[in-house]
Amino acid sequence: MAPTTPSSPLVLKPGTSWPDAWERCLAVAPEAFRDDRVLNLWASSWQADGRALPATSPVDGTPIAGPPRLDAATAHRAVRASLDAHRDWLQVPLPERRARVAATLDALAEHRELLALLLVWEIGKPWRLARADVDRAIDGVRWYVDGVEPMLADRTPLPGPVSNIASWNYPMSVLVHAMLVQALAGNAVIAKAPTDGGVACLTLACALAAREGVPVTLVSGGGRELSEALVRAPEIGCVSFVGGRDTGARIATAVTDLGKRHVLEQEGLNTWGVWNFTDWPALTSVIPKLFDYGKQRCTAYPRFVVQRTLFADFLAAYLPAVRSLRFGHPLAVERPEDPLPELDFGPLINAAKAKELSDQVAEAIGRGAAPLHRGSTADGRFLPGQDTSAYLPPVTLLNPPPSSPLHHAEPFGPVDTVVLVDTEAELLAAMNASNGALVATLSTDDPGTYDRLAPEIRAFKTGHGVPRSRGDRDELFGGFGHSWRGAFVGGDLLVRAVTTGPPGERAPGNFPDYHLMP
């Protein structure tokens, strides 16, 4: 069933505009927001330094606050100041740390709606997913606040602060969550605001944490300018990175050479295999969920590997689900009093990414891929005359050629590819195309077939007919092969990754050559 077209022109939900959100930021945290720019937080104070770059929202091209980019020298000063804060924080007993982090969570919960609205404007998250991102951060850290004592038994904080460099897609449930747990474990924390979006949301979250006395540093800048300070500086006790393989590989080389503690989550081509399978209604029901946030997440499934004899049945189950997807402006409503729409996804992170993927789709088709589905912006929900350059309707291609990036790399957008196979060996080879992934799924009716093939799939988590995710609270997370380097996280492992244990302790993780984590 296709999405319904609004019967009248859509309007922006009153009270949700970017100026509305910005005025609320100025009122809630005037120390962190000034006029039309955000500030950097280092040396325990908000600094009006850095070169503020212009930025626009992917939602509709509205001008928004850009990151105030520091130079390398100032970044080094910020790192040195963070080490001083780290040494002070080492003297704070655990009950006091718990109280300060818990107070931060209460403040985040109080301003949940504003944090979510900033995520909508800055990174294009639909309202439902933006609120979920905030809620997962709060609920996840509360789990640690309530149960961290046994996790810290016989453990001590690192000798220096934890440096966090993360992608833009989950500022709260990944980045802020990690920062607060790292601080709870006894470390000062540094975060680099992602260049592509989320700086205002992170600034507000860090302002609320800093007010409670949590030792947080937040800086903006280009990776090349800041990497020497945030990765290589001797003051840094651990590097936590979430992002692409190219940047991750450079960081992995640096931290390995320096013998530095590290958690490096990188991209992988997560795949969904279909073999000797008949429960097609179950597959139809899950397909829309796989398009949440336009597949702009590390645990998205952009590749289906399908037994050739099941291809017709697969299409009959898959295509109606894809045609039902709802996308468009996350804050557009038919009437001012209407609730915000329940969308599967909004824009991509920027117009350049939308064009890049559109070009890759066109190139793949030109080289022999068959388009199974190509959506249209006419099917989306948009304001009259709005900029839609960052939007990409869903696309599905059959057998992208080996020369195409869509054959071997994660698209990070609403582009699915389908590969047909005839044997179990071909199935496994196609599912392992990227030499390591974070998640995978195999849909098969026979539990014995699943038990036999799942261990051969190079993914950290493999589901039997159900999608896997990063997980919350006590669920562990890591990667296989090139999708991860360093300590695994989740549950007590997240605490162990940023603390020192008994002499000779071997850290669970994906380390090159199985090196021990120092």
Side-chain angles (χ1 to χ4, degrees), residues 308-388:
R308 190 181 304 273
T309 56
L310 300 180
F311 183 46
D313 293 327
F314 171 82
L315 282 185
Y318 174 90
L319 289 177
V322 174
R323 291 169 181 149
S324 73
L325 294 172
R326 291 167 56 87
F327 66 95
H329 194 303
L331 303 172
V333 294
E334 294 189 44
R335 297 170 300 178
E337 65 271 20
D338 288 346
L340 290 169
E342 291 285 328
L343 301 179
D344 296 295
F345 61 94
L348 299 191
I349 187 57
N350 51 48
K353 180 61 180 180
K355 184 179 186 306
E356 173 192 300
L357 273 184
S358 294
D359 291 346
Q360 289 180 2
V361 167
E363 180 183 42
I365 293 173
R367 294 182 180 180
L372 300 175
H373 174 76
R374 299 192 74 172
S376 168
T377 53
D379 299 326
R381 294 172 49 90
F382 298 111
L383 299 175
Q386 79 158 79
D387 181 351
T388 61

Side-chain angles (χ1 to χ4, degrees), residues 176-191:
V176 170
H177 176 279
M179 293 166 63
L180 292 179
V181 175
Q182 293 160 6
L184 180 64
N187 305 286
V189 294
I190 307 171

Side-chain angles (χ1 to χ4, degrees), residues 45 91 97 153 183 246 260 268 271 283 326 355 363 381 395 407 410 429:
S45 64
Q91 309 307 314
R97 299 201 306 264
D246 291 342
K260 197 181 291 290
T271 58
L283 183 64
R326 291 167 56 87
K355 184 179 186 306
E363 180 183 42
R381 294 172 49 90
V395 178
H407 179 81
E410 181 182 23

